Amino acid sequence: MPGTDSEATAAREASLPARAKIAVTAGRVAAALSQKAGRGSGSVIGGKVALKLDPDLLATLAEHLDVVLVSATNGKTTTTRLIAEALRAAGPVVSNALGANMPAGITAALAGGSDAKFGVIEVDEKYLAGVARDTRPKAIALLNLSRDQLDRAAETRMMAEKWREGLKDTDAVIIANADDPLVTWAASSCRKVVWVAAGQAWKEDAWSCPSCGGVMQRPGDDWFCQDCGFRRPQPHWALQGTHVIDPQRGAWPIQLQLPGRANLANATSSAAVAAVFGVPPQVALQRMQTVTAVAGRYDVVSYLGRDVRLLLAKNPAGWLETFSLIDQPPAPVVLSVNAMDADGTDTSWLWDVDYERLAGHPIFVMGQRKLDLAVRLEVAGLQFQVVDTLEQAVQMAPPGRIEAIANYTAFQQLRKAVAN
Amino acid sequence: MSFPTGHPQQYEPQQPAPQQYGRSSRMSDSSLRLVWVYPDLLSTYGDRGNALVVERRARQRGLGVQRIDVRSDQAVPTSGDIYLIGGGEDRPQRLAAERLRNDSGLVRAAENGAIILAVCAGYQILGHEFVNDLGEREPGLGLLDVWTTRGEGARCVGDVLAEVDPRLGLPQLTGFENHQGVTHLGQGVSPFANVQVGRGNGTGDGTEGAWRDTVFGTYLHGPVMARNPAVADMLIKLALDVNALPPADTTWYDALRAERIAATRQPA
Ligand SMILES: [Zn+2]
């Protein structure tokens, strides 16, 4: 739990109920101890300790904040950051910017929030309903749902069902991606929904109607179920090319420093969220322009005299979006895949990724599961080289900026490797 | 017809016609008809990989391949050479079983001697019955003499090593399993393999999968062909009705197999 000592924090903490006060202090002590022991920032541990002492702490801390929750399979960290920047136009913001997105991490982030007006909170999909109950948000952004870590995650439709059940009585305005049938189904039982046509490149988890099981028809950007009539709602907001279209049909250019279609979609949803709090799209979008790398993602680093861009892709939908933003061939590409617990230990998802799209790029494969990747690429008919380290890949790579795409723990390792 | 995951893939130029090694091929014409059943419902565990590997290994032998991806609102053709069915979650599995029972194309293809390989949820559908997402007994297609109940214990998740039925002449199997079902084998089938590591059918007797004639079921994904190209080759040989195929490079498959077999024997 970060130790902020501003007067505002002190005043705010003084106003907390006794139990919450003790919990916050205990959490801060635990976090400091954990930090001293070299275990990262200690914020999650601090949050755990604090929540144990006061199970209502999250609710207490959220009470005088205007809270926005952001959940999705992909893009929630970036979108949380974009919304946080946009809302800073209207007041101070507290956010779990580093992606600690389960209740303990969220509690820790809010406890460090001092004088914030807004709480912009990324929430793990599985915890969304509970966090929504505790924090009584004004808005909830639902971006997308797709397969991720199949060895332990629930199926995507079950996740949509959990959202649907858990959010149906919420007073929050739901900002939902109308192009994702699973998200639409989850949101369509809510009272207040703002639909955003944010697009969805990955379609393989929604060929079956989430409502009745019928086969989904998907002509162009539209989708509908012939059997039960469940269909794409009319969007209020839309991403059109590189513009946000607002409900009054105003078109606002998006100028992000973050690359890719997925981030244009994230900016569109973020603009729709900002509007709920009275921040107009032009102001929101202008503020989003200041966001560069998010937790190291999209960071261009200099390594061994070469430019290397670090890209995170954790699941098939994420890889698909990433392929669409990398430099054209012959830009060299490094792929790194691990299968540790945090990645999911089942690598079969590699076969759901269209690696065929990398034709023409010089390709280097590395990571714990480089041989799984090698077979995948061989079957795709691609040329590639297997390497042990990023250093080797960089030394062998032909000229040009190197695009390094990695899944979760492999990405952390790449960051470490280039930090030297 | 193509399922919208794919992109046109580039392959090396076709080599000489396949007839040179198929004396009494089952194949109706010179290209292998590879049918992937219901990718919209049963393609959760990288099952597309099995279709890609069979296709790749057939083309490496100079065979033309016609891949037919059949969505669950389309009729299953009866004239395919090889049918692949993948794994899926509980609700899609029920929907797939309902639609396959109504369609009857797969059953008729099987009666004509088609080659079928099904994985996990697909394997259960080939049997007499399984337990569906509503907790009810759902009839399967009865193409394999097996039936599946729901396991009481923990889900079977993890790497698997197994020795294949020696009559099939295949090397050790490596793969990944992730299922709750327990599949019981009747008199009409043999175990596809016996596990050395992993749970396989989950019955506690070490059996993994089931087969008879040209119909195979297994719990292994990974997908199974990526780690066991010999299984893909076996299906191609059955389709051509030959005992051997020209060699095709297995360097990367072999490296992956060695790594996974070692890792499975000695978990970190
Ligand atoms: Zn429907």
Side-chain angles (χ1 to χ4, degrees):
Chain A
M1 209 169 281
T4 43
D5 292 317
S6 74
E7 276 172 37
T9 307
R12 155 93 176 283
E13 275 173 20
S15 73
L16 286 176
R19 184 177 191 160
K21 219 180 293 180
I22 292 166
V24 167
T25 310
R28 190 165 295 147
V29 170
L33 286 175
S34 171
Q35 198 170 11
K36 248 187 200 148
R39 298 195 192 99
S41 77
S43 68
V44 172
I45 289 174
K48 273 188 185 149
V49 167
L51 272 181
K52 206 158 207 176
L53 283 171
D54 181 2
D56 299 326
L57 182 58
L58 183 52
T60 308
L61 291 171
E63 223 161 34
H64 38 265
L65 290 171
D66 282 352
V67 170
V68 185
L69 305 182
V70 181
S71 201
T73 304
N74 288 316
K76 49 189 179 288
T77 304
T78 306
T79 305
T80 298
R81 182 69 190 283
L82 293 174
I83 294 171
E85 287 311 322
L87 291 188
R88 286 205 170 98
V93 169
V94 60
S95 180
N96 53 341
L98 295 176
N101 61 16
M102 295 185 221
I106 294 167
T107 304
L110 293 193
S114 65
D115 54 346
K117 179 173 191 311
F118 299 106
V120 182
I121 301 172
E122 165 184 346
V123 191
D124 181 281
E125 305 91 280
K126 294 183 289 297
Y127 293 93
L128 180 62
V131 173
R133 192 190 52 230
D134 288 348
T135 59
R136 308 174 62 84
K138 290 243 161 46
I140 304 175
L142 307 176
L143 311 176
N144 54 69
L145 277 176
S146 70
R147 62 185 66 180
D148 186 38
Q149 295 197 18
L150 292 169
D151 58 330
R152 65 152 186 259
E155 63 175 284
T156 50
R157 186 185 163 277
M158 294 289 284
M159 190 65 75
E161 174 123 39
K162 252 178 139 168
W163 280 8
R164 188 177 164 89
E165 278 304 304
L167 301 180
K168 67 176 192 292
D169 297 321
T170 185
D171 292 324
V173 178
I174 308 291
I175 292 87
N177 184 358
D179 289 325
D180 185 327
L182 286 167
V183 165
T184 301
W185 190 66
S188 55
S189 67
C190 297
R191 282 192 290 273
K192 287 172 274 181
V193 187
V194 173
W195 298 108
V196 181
Q200 191 192 32
W202 171 261
K203 298 186 166 48
E204 308 315 312
D205 287 304
W207 283 104
S208 191
C209 172
S211 182
C212 81
V215 178
M216 204 70 93
Q217 308 300 318
R218 307 194 75 155
D221 293 333
D222 195 12
W223 57 260
F224 60 91
C225 170
Q226 237 156 15
D227 296 358
C228 74
F230 177 58
R231 61 179 312 132
R232 179 177 182 264
Q234 193 60 41
H236 303 98
W237 293 73
L239 167 64
Q240 208 169 80
T242 56
H243 285 72
V244 169
I245 310 297
D246 71 23
Q248 284 73 46
R249 317 318 296 161
W252 309 99
I254 310 171
Q255 282 158 325
L256 289 179
Q257 297 198 54
L258 305 173
R261 193 213 68 83
N263 283 324
L264 296 171
N266 294 337
T268 307
S269 297
S270 300
V273 170
V276 172
F277 298 91
V279 177
Q282 61 272 42
V283 176
L285 288 166
Q286 201 158 31
R287 296 193 64 90
M288 291 180 214
Q289 245 187 81
T290 59
V291 178
T292 52
V294 179
R297 300 155 200 194
Y298 315 110
D299 224 354
V300 179
V301 298
S302 174
Y303 178 63
L304 303 174
R306 299 286 298 272
D307 280 350
V308 181
R309 179 159 62 164
L310 303 179
L311 299 163
L312 174 70
K314 292 187 286 194
N315 47 47
W319 283 84
L320 190 63
E321 295 285 9
T322 303
F323 289 162
S324 71
L325 67 82
I326 61 174
D327 291 341
Q328 293 299 306
V333 174
V334 177
L335 309 174
S336 186
V337 168
N338 284 355
M340 303 204 195
D341 283 343
D343 305 303
T345 55
D346 180 359
T347 53
S348 61
W349 59 267
L350 289 169
W351 295 85
D352 291 325
V353 178
D354 274 332
Y355 287 100
E356 289 80 1
R357 292 191 173 206
L358 296 179
H361 290 277
I363 305 169
F364 301 88
V365 308
M366 56 178 284
Q368 201 183 33
R369 301 305 286 269
K370 54 183 182 278
L371 295 176
D372 292 78
L373 259 175
V375 170
R376 175 70 191 91
L377 298 184
E378 195 282 327
V379 171
L382 298 170
Q383 300 282 320
F384 59 91
Q385 309 229 39
V386 175
V387 296
D388 291 322
T389 61
L390 182 64
E391 183 180 351
Q392 275 179 20
V394 167
Q395 278 162 354
M396 292 162 76
R401 180 169 79 175
I402 297 165
E403 306 277 23
I405 314 173
N407 70 342
Y408 189 68
T409 65
F411 183 82
Q412 309 305 342
Q413 289 169 354
L414 287 184
R415 282 187 77 187
K416 242 184 217 157
V418 299
N420 295 329
Chain B
M1 170 166 55
S2 80
F3 193 69
T5 32
H7 298 273
Q9 292 171 35
Q10 285 172 357
Y11 292 99
E12 61 275 58
Q14 298 261 317
Q15 273 141 61
Q19 284 83 347
Q20 63 184 34
Y21 37 79
R23 63 186 191 293
S24 61
S25 168
R26 299 163 188 269
M27 285 163 45
S28 45
D29 54 44
S30 63
S31 77
L32 185 74
R33 287 168 60 86
L34 175 61
V35 181
W36 182 18
V37 178
Y38 293 179
D40 55 328
L41 295 176
L42 300 173
S43 177
T44 300
Y45 298 103
D47 298 287
R48 186 167 71 121
N50 287 333
L52 292 175
V53 173
V54 173
E55 182 172 355
R56 172 76 170 166
R57 298 201 56 79
R59 288 189 190 276
Q60 284 174 316
R61 273 56 177 258
L63 290 165
V65 176
Q66 191 189 350
R67 198 175 106 194
I68 305 162
D69 297 355
V70 183
R71 217 169 64 170
S72 67
D73 57 350
Q74 297 166 329
V76 178
T78 56
S79 60
D81 298 302
I82 298 174
Y83 292 76
L84 298 176
I85 312 170
E89 286 142 347
D90 294 353
R91 184 173 189 252
Q93 180 188 25
R94 168 170 54 87
L95 298 172
E98 279 170 18
R99 288 168 200 173
L100 283 171
R101 287 198 310 269
N102 291 335
D103 176 87
S104 81
L106 188 64
V107 172
R108 276 186 290 145
E111 285 163 1
N112 297 336
I115 296 141
I116 302 174
L117 184 135
V119 177
C120 204
Y123 166 38
Q124 296 178 0
I125 290 173
L126 291 194
H128 301 297
E129 66 172 44
F130 61 92
V131 180
N132 69 19
D133 59 321
L134 311 171
E136 296 160 357
R137 289 161 60 185
E138 178 81 31
L141 301 177
L143 295 177
L144 283 175
D145 182 15
V146 304
W147 64 98
T148 301
T149 54
R150 191 164 280 182
E152 296 302 318
R155 226 178 142 76
C156 307
V157 184
D159 271 290
V160 178
L161 268 187
E163 289 294 343
V164 185
D165 186 331
R167 288 172 293 171
L168 294 170
L170 292 172
Q172 193 171 35
L173 273 186
T174 154
F176 195 95
E177 65 182 336
N178 182 355
H179 60 97
Q180 188 75 45
V182 173
T183 298
H184 310 268
L185 274 49
Q187 295 294 316
V189 292
S190 305
F192 181 52
N194 281 287
V195 292
Q196 297 151 306
V197 179
R199 307 274 292 280
N201 288 324
T203 42
D205 59 1
T207 62
E208 196 309 290
W211 75 287
R212 61 149 183 98
D213 305 322
T214 58
V215 181
F216 303 86
T218 175
Y219 271 114
L220 300 197
H221 61 268
V224 66
M225 311 279 189
R227 296 208 202 170
N228 307 279
V231 173
D233 289 356
M234 175 186 79
L235 302 185
I236 297 168
K237 282 189 261 188
L238 285 170
L240 297 173
D241 201 12
V242 297
N243 293 321
L245 293 171
D249 182 61
T250 54
T251 308
W252 291 114
Y253 300 98
D254 292 343
L256 174 61
R257 286 175 60 75
E259 181 208 86
R260 291 327 300 161
I261 289 170
T264 306
R265 283 207 177 112
Q266 219 127 46

